[in-house]
Amino acid sequence: GESVGLHLPTLSVQEGDNSIINCAYSNSASDYFIWYKQESGKGPQFIIDIRSNMDKRQGQRVTVLLNKTVKHLSLQIAATQPGDSAVYFCAERKAGTALIFGKGTTLSVSS
Amino acid sequence: NAGVTQTPKFQVLKTGQSMTLQCAQDMNHEYMSWYRQDPGMGLRLIHYSVGAGITDQGEVPNGYNVSRSTTEDFPLRLLSAAPSQTSVYFCASSSGGRGSPLHFGNGTRLTVT
């Protein structure tokens, strides 16, 4: 079936490094993608989104890249900080439907 | 501005008991939804509502009921709890419909024994 997934369940980086979290999707009709961050004991928080007519979008210290040819989405975090430690989810939307969430990648940042 | 508020934060039920998970938002969002989060499964949509008086089923609706009598409130009811309903439940809302960025509450952790 169609689903949103993540390549790796965990990612460990050193403080100050750049982090790249990947997400593969299989629904070619999806037109909108979102990255969420979930800290322990809290609900997911919106980080950044991108529409299918874009390849790249930048926020504060974060960049989302979309490669529709290989159905791949990535979240890049620059100069990763301990406060970035969390579970990161990608979500996709096919027009007119609800968001479908991936299973999440746990990012651990060590000092 | 409180955003999305969920109560209780924790709940333990025995099999067969009923309970209502409360969700309230103060952002005047038309769209509200309930998700459950299980290890290794991500977030799965239970029920959603596009406005007061309108509800619909999501991906995993069995065993749950919802109603939407006001814009602010969207309670989730478990009529006869089962161990398979042990999970963390999140309520979320948005201003732009079910495909728009969601604002999440902090969840209710439910254990059914």
Side-chain angles (χ1 to χ4, degrees):
Chain A
E2 296 176 322
S3 64
V4 176
L6 286 159
H7 291 303
L8 293 173
T10 61
L11 177 65
S12 297
V13 301
Q14 293 283 327
E15 182 178 0
D17 287 350
N18 296 331
S19 302
I20 300 176
I21 301 171
N22 295 305
C23 180
Y25 66 95
S26 59
N27 191 337
S28 57
S30 293
D31 64 353
Y32 179 60
F33 304 87
I34 306 176
W35 281 101
Y36 283 90
K37 172 186 180 182
Q38 185 177 23
E39 297 175 272
S40 181
K42 296 186 177 181
Q45 292 177 289
F46 172 88
I47 302 173
I48 192 168
D49 59 359
I50 188 168
R51 299 195 180 278
S52 59
N53 61 353
M54 302 171 68
D55 298 322
K56 178 180 180 179
R57 190 166 188 217
Q58 289 185 293
Q60 188 177 11
R61 277 202 309 119
V62 295
T63 300
V64 56
L65 298 176
L66 176 63
N67 185 331
K68 294 180 287 294
T69 301
V70 295
K71 298 189 185 68
H72 184 267
L73 188 70
S74 68
L75 177 70
Q76 300 179 358
I77 304 173
T80 312
Q81 303 168 0
D84 295 325
S85 294
V87 180
Y88 290 82
F89 294 93
C90 63
E92 67 174 316
R93 178 196 76 181
K94 189 170 70 172
T97 68
L99 291 174
I100 300 172
F101 287 82
K103 294 180 173 56
T105 289
T106 300
L107 176 65
S108 298
V109 183
S110 53
S111 304
Chain B
N1 192 340
V4 179
T5 303
Q6 292 183 238
T7 56
K9 294 189 188 306
F10 302 94
Q11 183 69 51
V12 179
L13 291 177
K14 295 186 188 301
T15 297
Q17 287 185 317
S18 63
M19 81 158 295
T20 299
L21 280 63
Q22 302 292 343
C23 175
Q25 52 92 9
D26 61 1
M27 296 173 284
N28 202 32
H29 286 170
E30 290 293 329
Y31 180 79
M32 297 186 74
S33 55
W34 278 100
Y35 285 83
R36 61 177 288 173
Q37 184 175 39
D38 302 294
M41 299 293 291
L43 289 153
R44 293 182 292 169
L45 182 65
I46 304 172
H47 284 286
Y48 65 93
S49 168
V50 298
I54 306 169
T55 64
D56 207 345
Q57 296 181 348
E59 180 186 357
V60 288
N62 292 340
Y64 308 96
N65 282 348
V66 292
S67 60
R68 184 95 179 269
S69 56
T70 67
T71 298
E72 294 79 20
D73 300 298
F74 190 43
L76 179 71
R77 278 183 283 276
L78 285 70
L79 297 179
S80 180
S84 62
Q85 293 178 304
T86 294
S87 187
V88 182
Y89 292 85
F90 289 98
C91 179
S93 71
S94 80
S95 59
R98 56 181 172 165
S100 299
L102 295 166
H103 298 259
F104 284 86
N106 282 329
T108 293
R109 183 175 293 275
L110 176 67
T111 302
V112 183
T113 62

